[in-house]
Amino acid sequence: MATDDQGAFIWYELMTSDAKSAKAFYDSVVGWNIDAQAASTLPIDYRMIKRSDGKFAGGVLTLSKDMADHGAQPGWFGYVHVPSVDAAVEHMVGAGGKVHLPARDMDGVGRMAMVSDPQGAVLYLMTPTPPASDPNAKSDVFSYTEAEHVRWNELSTADPKAAAALYAELLGWRQEGSMPMGPMGDYLFLHHGDGMIGAVMQKTPGAPCSAWGYYIGVDDIDRAAKAVQAGGGKLLGELQEIPGGEFSVKCRDPQGADFGLVGPRAG
């Protein structure tokens, strides 16, 4: 992988109880084409999320009974590229985090682990194996501006300043700039390389735990919001205008996974 991928979000994964329904829902809302069938070469039900340009936006993992019995629930999860998964896990645990899936190698994919930070937000750490045909391959699943990509990574946490400091140490991110949110404190912007990748905010009192949230880009926020409701999902608030003139809204899919949408108003 390209060295500037280190510290970057390089993959996004939807864990769901119903991959068929998830395909119908997200294809309609976002414009993706999620695989209708799982890859037969894998021992798990894993399907690729394809953008309209033919490239990948992430993957869909169907939760098995065993996963559900151990507490796994539908949700969106991000993968961040680290030079050494084992060293990053050790750093996270030393800071007070926990390991949910120990570091393991996946043939042809790379080495990965699932961890949570000291406030409880879950994240995958990964050292990917690049394709043999393209050793300098660079992930493009995140884009600050483009539809059908994740455009924003938002951490809602019990301790924003501590979380921002930890991720700066662990992943090389920079916390630069903020926006006041009244009683909620400041919205702290996160930067990686030359770009802004997301922000850290105080979690609301009613939120069950600290968590990462991901905003998916759409071509028309009004169309997409209507598709969420038509597809059996929910809007978790009103459309909010964001700096630059676009709009965002938080949503929940029919299986209970939370996500955000961001994009322009076409009208």
Side-chain angles (χ1 to χ4, degrees):
M1 278 285 179
T3 56
D4 58 351
D5 259 0
Q6 294 181 12
F9 279 91
I10 56 171
W11 196 248
Y12 297 95
E13 186 172 276
L14 171 65
M15 291 187 186
T16 183
S17 56
D18 188 339
K20 182 179 179 180
S21 294
K23 171 180 171 56
F25 179 79
Y26 286 100
D27 284 5
S28 173
V29 171
V30 183
W32 288 333
N33 180 20
I34 298 174
D35 285 346
Q37 302 292 330
S40 59
T41 56
L42 297 175
I44 55 176
D45 186 334
Y46 201 90
R47 311 176 187 207
M48 305 301 283
I49 303 173
K50 295 173 182 174
R51 305 193 304 254
S52 57
D53 63 6
K55 297 182 180 181
F56 297 124
V60 176
L61 172 64
T62 300
L63 293 169
S64 66
K65 183 179 183 302
D66 182 63
M67 294 175 190
D69 288 346
H70 283 82
Q73 297 179 347
W76 279 94
F77 298 89
Y79 287 67
V80 178
H81 185 185
V82 294
S84 167
V85 170
D86 298 82
V89 169
E90 183 178 359
H91 188 130
M92 185 68 87
V93 171
K98 296 180 180 179
V99 177
H100 296 274
L101 287 176
R104 64 186 65 186
D105 293 310
M106 298 284 287
D107 289 344
V109 176
R111 188 166 178 80
M112 66 187 72
M114 178 191 272
V115 299
S116 59
D117 65 25
Q119 288 75 43
V122 175
L123 194 68
Y124 277 99
L125 303 171
M126 184 177 187
T127 304
T129 300
S133 60
D134 189 3
N136 293 314
K138 180 176 172 60
S139 171
D140 69 349
V141 295
F142 172 81
S143 169
Y144 187 67
T145 59
E146 299 299 315
E148 297 187 40
H149 299 67
V150 169
R151 289 185 50 185
W152 194 248
N153 309 284
E154 184 178 84
L155 175 59
S156 298
T157 178
D159 194 336
K161 290 185 177 180
L166 172 60
Y167 286 110
E169 294 175 2
L170 179 66
L171 302 173
W173 296 346
R174 305 184 313 281
Q175 195 285 297
E176 296 177 1
S178 63
M179 180 174 67
M181 299 179 66
M184 295 291 291
D186 287 343
Y187 194 65
L188 306 175
F189 296 120
L190 297 173
H191 300 255
H192 171 257
D194 295 330
M196 191 185 301
I197 60 170
V200 183
M201 63 178 288
Q202 181 73 41
K203 81 177 187 68
T204 60
C209 61
S210 299
W212 280 96
Y214 305 102
Y215 284 78
I216 303 163
V218 292
D219 57 350
D220 178 343
I221 194 72
D222 292 299
R223 178 206 59 77
K226 290 177 181 176
V228 167
Q229 296 173 303
K234 299 178 181 178
L235 302 183
L236 303 180
E238 302 293 328
L239 297 182
Q240 301 289 329
E241 187 169 5
I242 58 177
E246 292 188 305
F247 291 79
S248 68
V249 64
K250 292 184 178 180
C251 311
R252 180 168 295 150
D253 75 17
Q255 285 68 53
D258 289 351
F259 65 101
L261 296 174
V262 59
R265 271 193 156 141

